[in-house]
Amino acid sequence: MRFNCHCHVFNLQSIFNPSTAYILAKRLEDAGLTSDFAAQIVHRLERFMKTQGGFDSVGSDPGDFSSAWTNTLLGKAKVFWEALHVAMLKDMDKVTDDMMNQLHKDVAFVPLMMDILVAHQTGRDPLFESQLEGTKRQIIRHPGRILPFYAVNPFREGFVEKAKDNLLRGGFVGVKLYPSLGYDLSAPGMTEILSFCAEHGYPLLMHCNRGGFKQDDSATRNCDPALWGLVDVGDGFLDTHPDLKICFGHFGGAENFLTPDVFDPNHWTGLILQLMKAYPDRVFADVSYHDTALSPSTGTAYFASLAAILADPDCRSQVLWGTDTWLLRMNCQEVDYWSGFMFSAAIQDNFSLMCSHNPRVFLGIDPNEPGENIVNHLAFLQAHAHWSQEDAASWLNQA
C-alpha cells in the first residue's frame, strides 16, 4: 500500500468563516492584487456559496485542461479555475472522490483538517462541526483508505478535550498543527496536547514553510523547527516530550532545495535535517506542494537535493510522500504530481521508501505491534463501517 501523507478533503463551504476571509484576502494581496480587488473576490465567493451552495461536480474532464506547466496565460487560468471548481464543490464527498479517482485503489490518504481561527472563539461552531463530521464520513465511505489528522487550534474553546475525544473515538490517527495562523505552541493547553500525543502514539504534522495560511508574516516564526529541539540546548518540544513524533509539512520550504547546500542549517530545511539526525525515527518531513520539482527551470536542482537527502543514511527513512491536494491543484492534478516524482531518474529507486515504508513507520502501522492510534482507528471502522476483526487484521497485513 502507498500513502499520501499530506492532502485535504475539506471544501470552502466547510472552512469559510471570517478568519478564512481575512487570510484569503491577504494571500490574494500577497499575489499582487489590490486590497479592493481581493475583497471583491472574497465577497463573491461568500455570496456564491450562500446563494448557490456550490458546484455539483468538477464539470470539465481534466483531459480538457492544458498542462499545468504550460507558459500560456490561458493554460494557467484553466488550471486555477479547476482548483477553484474543486474547492467550491457542494460537499466534501465530491472533493474526496475527485482526488481518489485519479489514482489506483492501493493508495491511502492522510487528509489534514483545517481550523482557521486567528483569535479566540467561544461557543458552538457549526462550521467546524460540519467539517469534522464530513471528515469522519470519508473514513466510513472509503474504509482503510482515509487516515485523517485532527486540526488543533488553541484559539478554539475547549480544544484540548475536543481533540482527545476525536483522537480516541473519532477515527483520527494524528494531529495537524498550523501555528502561522497566529498561535503559540506554548499556549495554555498545548503542552497537554503534546503530552497526550506522545503518551498515546499520535503523530503530529505541522505546517512548516514561510507561505500558506498565515495571520501575518511575523506569525511564521511559530513554525520554526528550532522550537522543537537542538542537540546542544535540550529544551525543545522533542526533548520535553521524548516519545513524540512530528512531520514538518513542506520540509521547511521547497526554495531551500534550490540552494547550494540543502543540509545548510541556516535555512529551515537544513535545520529539519539536523533534527532528523538528532532524533532518529521521530522527526519526519514531507515534500508536499514542492512545485519547483516539476518546473523545467528548477527541477534538476530540486531533485539533486532530494536525492542527496535520500542518500543520507540518517535521513532517508524519515522523508514522507505528500502532495497537498486539493490546494496543489492550483498547479497540477494529484496524478501529475505523483508521475513527476515517480519517473524522476534521480529518486525513482527511493520513491517507494517515501510513499510506502516511511509512512508506515510515521503512522504506526505495524501488523505485529500497531500504534494505539491505529488500534483506535480500526475500532472506529469496526463500529461504523462494520469491519470485522478479520478485516482489521487483513488491512494491517496488506498495509
Side-chain angles (χ1 to χ4, degrees), residues 239-262:
D239 300 305
T240 53
H241 303 279
D243 296 318
L244 204 58
K245 283 192 295 188
I246 182 171
C247 170
F248 292 97
H250 312 295
F251 225 129
E255 68 278 4
N256 300 323
F257 283 65
L258 307 181
T259 57
D261 181 9
V262 73

Side-chain angles (χ1 to χ4, degrees), residues 289-349:
Y289 216 137
H290 280 197
D291 52 348
T292 53
L294 304 190
S295 172
S297 62
T298 55
T300 300
Y302 174 88
F303 280 117
S305 290
L306 181 56
I309 294 170
L310 292 169
D312 190 312
D314 295 326
C315 300
R316 67 191 312 267
S317 63
Q318 291 158 253
V319 180
L320 301 178
W321 173 245
T323 64
D324 208 12
T325 294
W326 57 264
L327 296 173
L328 172 75
R329 200 158 180 141
M330 286 184 282
N331 279 337
C332 65
Q333 295 182 69
E334 174 87 359
V335 67
D336 297 330
Y337 200 70
W338 280 78
S339 299
F341 279 75
M342 286 176 68
F343 298 116
S344 166
I347 66 153
Q348 62 184 202
D349 291 341

